Amino acid sequence: MIRRRPDVDLSRRRLLGGGVTLGALTLLTGCDVSDHDAVQAALQKVSAWNDRVQATLFGPDRLAPTFPESMAVKDFRYNAWYGPDQAPVLDPKDYRLLLAGRIADKRPWSVEALHALPQETQVTRHICVEGWSMIGKWTGTPLRLFLERIGADTTARYVGFECADGYYEGIDMPTALHPQTLMAFRLHDAILPHRHGFPFKLRIPTKLGFKNPKFVTTLYVTDKEPRGYWPDRGYNWFSGL
């Protein structure tokens, strides 16, 4: 069942990481904070500017910090708009990852086929927009390798994702091809728990946590910027660290 999340006014978070406060923005733009439409338009322009700057600075050599395994937390924090007992439970016998868009081989992938892919491990920090962070040990397949395996057109601009809990997200192709972007199948050496996104979640240590979708059921490659659930509600689309 697809669950709908409550709409939350997160306009005040549009500038997270941008270094510009609402007060400073009103001085720069001449907007009256009581003029909701004008303020929103100004915030959207600054958010788009932040996206462009972050995308320009991003590259394959800009790596997120990695840590010794001893620093990885075994009981990784659960985070969602619903309780862990309400997390989707996907049956590995029935699950299929659907592929769409600019991909040569669109045959669906089973859990067994995904787990048979070459895998590697990283110990990186998950940073949440809500202000907390946690180091985890993640094992899975580099998204770049999977895109090559399915014949994805990597000259396209974006990769999008749809998820079993109704979430949706997208990333730019340079992020998809980044060496640390992982299709994570394991957390701390155990099969990824249902509450953390089984059968896999995207682990992107170069981006804020909400850009790491879980319970992924569809992957598509496109030249049209994919929507993101939280960017639709005010977060920056790129949201790099």
Side-chain angles (χ1 to χ4, degrees):
M1 180 177 68
I2 301 300
R3 301 178 181 84
R4 298 181 62 86
R5 269 169 286 194
D7 289 332
V8 181
D9 184 3
L10 295 172
S11 299
R12 63 186 179 84
R13 296 188 179 182
R14 289 181 186 270
L15 303 180
L16 275 170
V20 181
T21 65
L22 180 59
L25 183 64
T26 58
L27 291 175
L28 290 171
T29 63
C31 294
D32 181 347
V33 293
S34 64
D35 185 348
H36 183 270
D37 291 340
V39 171
Q40 293 304 309
L43 288 170
Q44 289 173 355
K45 289 181 180 179
V46 173
S47 180
W49 180 82
N50 285 341
D51 282 345
R52 290 193 297 271
V53 170
Q54 291 182 60
T56 299
L57 295 175
F58 185 77
D61 297 327
R62 294 182 66 86
L63 301 178
T66 57
F67 302 89
E69 185 176 340
S70 59
M71 295 182 66
V73 175
K74 293 184 179 180
D75 185 18
F76 202 84
R77 177 172 174 168
Y78 174 81
N79 187 42
W81 77 96
Y82 47 80
D85 58 328
Q86 296 177 300
V89 178
L90 303 180
D91 189 331
K93 298 190 300 296
D94 299 330
Y95 172 87
R96 295 294 183 272
L97 173 64
L98 304 180
L99 305 177
R102 293 170 60 172
I103 294 173
D105 186 351
K106 294 187 175 69
R107 287 177 293 182
W109 282 67
S110 66
V111 172
E112 182 180 12
L114 290 170
H115 285 182
L117 289 166
Q119 298 183 30
E120 59 185 53
T121 296
Q122 62 176 232
V123 181
T124 51
R125 187 187 300 276
H126 173 103
I127 299 178
C128 182
V129 71
E130 295 173 346
W132 60 271
S133 67
M134 188 167 285
I135 296 171
K137 179 183 179 183
W138 308 91
T139 300
T141 299
L143 181 58
R144 171 189 52 77
L145 187 152
F146 183 71
L147 293 174
E148 292 171 356
R149 185 71 60 93
I150 62 177
D153 182 357
T154 55
T155 67
R157 299 180 64 190
Y158 305 105
V159 180
F161 308 93
E162 295 176 2
C163 308
D165 59 354
Y167 202 72
Y168 52 93
E169 191 50 82
I171 57 177
D172 58 293
M173 187 61 75
T175 295
L177 300 177
H178 190 273
Q180 290 179 310
T181 299
L182 204 66
M183 300 168 72
F185 305 129
R186 291 178 174 269
L187 174 58
H188 210 83
D189 297 324
I191 295 295
L192 190 68
H194 288 287
R195 69 189 190 126
H196 286 302
F198 179 87
F200 81 92
K201 67 169 289 175
L202 261 291
R203 178 67 195 121
I204 312 176
T206 57
K207 289 188 177 290
L208 288 169
F210 73 86
K211 296 293 288 187
N212 293 234
K214 50 192 177 183
F215 311 108
V216 178
T217 55
T218 300
L219 179 154
Y220 61 95
V221 175
T222 179
D223 270 330
K224 181 180 179 181
E225 182 177 285
R227 297 170 58 215
Y229 187 88
W230 291 118
D232 280 354
R233 286 153 177 78
Y235 285 65
N236 286 353
W237 189 89
F238 193 86
S239 290
L241 296 173

